[in-house]
Amino acid sequence: MSLKGMGPRKDAIKVEHYKRASVRLYDVATAPKDNEVLVNTAKKTQDYVQKGSRILDREGILHITGNGPSCSRVVTVAEVLKKKYKKPGLKQNTKIKYIKTEDIWEPTKEGLDVLKVVKQTPAISITLETPSKSS
């Protein structure tokens, strides 16, 4: 079978014919707590480690959270902090879940339907607690 002469279909629906109308997030915390570090890929890992270290010294409990591509960085920050605080009795609690997002795309051309795209993004939350503050 030859593919020569086969180009894009003339009746194909293109992304240019849609615009994003809204994004709906489910099960997402709105504002970080005082003892929480929200990790993303914009900053260096060392910045999160320093911030987490200050919170862990001050509060005794630290929540490190992130989703999507920053999940591995959350684990790295927690492991560096665990290595730094070699105290016996340091507790770790890890929660893994998926965050559901819905993207609504409205057509810019007549005759096309509204598209609803549902995505599941992985998320992780690691809690570190020092023995002095644990109950």
Side-chain angles (χ1 to χ4, degrees):
M1 176 178 178
S2 174
L3 297 177
K4 190 174 183 180
M6 293 186 70
R9 292 180 25 195
K10 292 185 180 169
D11 61 341
I13 298 172
K14 297 181 180 179
V15 177
E16 296 91 37
H17 298 180
Y18 287 90
K19 65 176 179 167
R20 180 180 283 164
S22 65
V23 176
R24 188 178 308 150
L25 300 172
Y26 297 96
D27 194 29
V28 176
T30 54
K33 303 171 196 165
D34 291 338
N35 60 349
E36 184 175 26
V37 175
L38 295 175
V39 177
N40 59 34
T41 56
K43 290 184 181 178
K44 293 180 179 178
T45 304
Q46 192 60 35
D47 295 339
Y48 296 117
V49 170
Q50 289 173 354
K51 183 177 180 183
S53 180
R54 285 193 304 268
I55 292 171
L56 203 54
D57 286 338
R58 184 180 69 232
E59 303 284 332
I61 187 168
L62 171 66
H63 302 283
I64 311 164
T65 59
N67 61 15
S70 63
C71 285
S72 62
R73 187 165 289 190
V74 170
V75 174
T76 302
V77 170
E79 290 299 322
V80 169
L81 286 170
K82 281 171 35 180
K83 189 172 183 179
K84 182 176 179 180
Y85 290 88
K86 292 184 179 178
K87 298 177 184 177
L90 180 68
K91 296 179 185 176
Q92 176 180 339
N93 185 12
T94 304
K95 295 179 184 174
I96 300 172
K97 62 181 179 179
Y98 285 91
I99 298 174
K100 179 180 172 185
T101 58
E102 276 185 9
D103 291 342
I104 308 296
W105 295 81
E106 292 181 349
T108 57
K109 233 175 118 173
E110 291 288 325
L112 297 175
D113 294 331
V114 174
L115 297 177
K116 181 172 109 175
V117 179
V118 179
K119 295 186 242 177
Q120 298 280 341
T121 306
I124 188 168
S125 175
I126 298 176
T127 302
L128 296 176
E129 188 173 2
T130 58
S132 60
K133 300 286 182 174
S134 64
S135 51

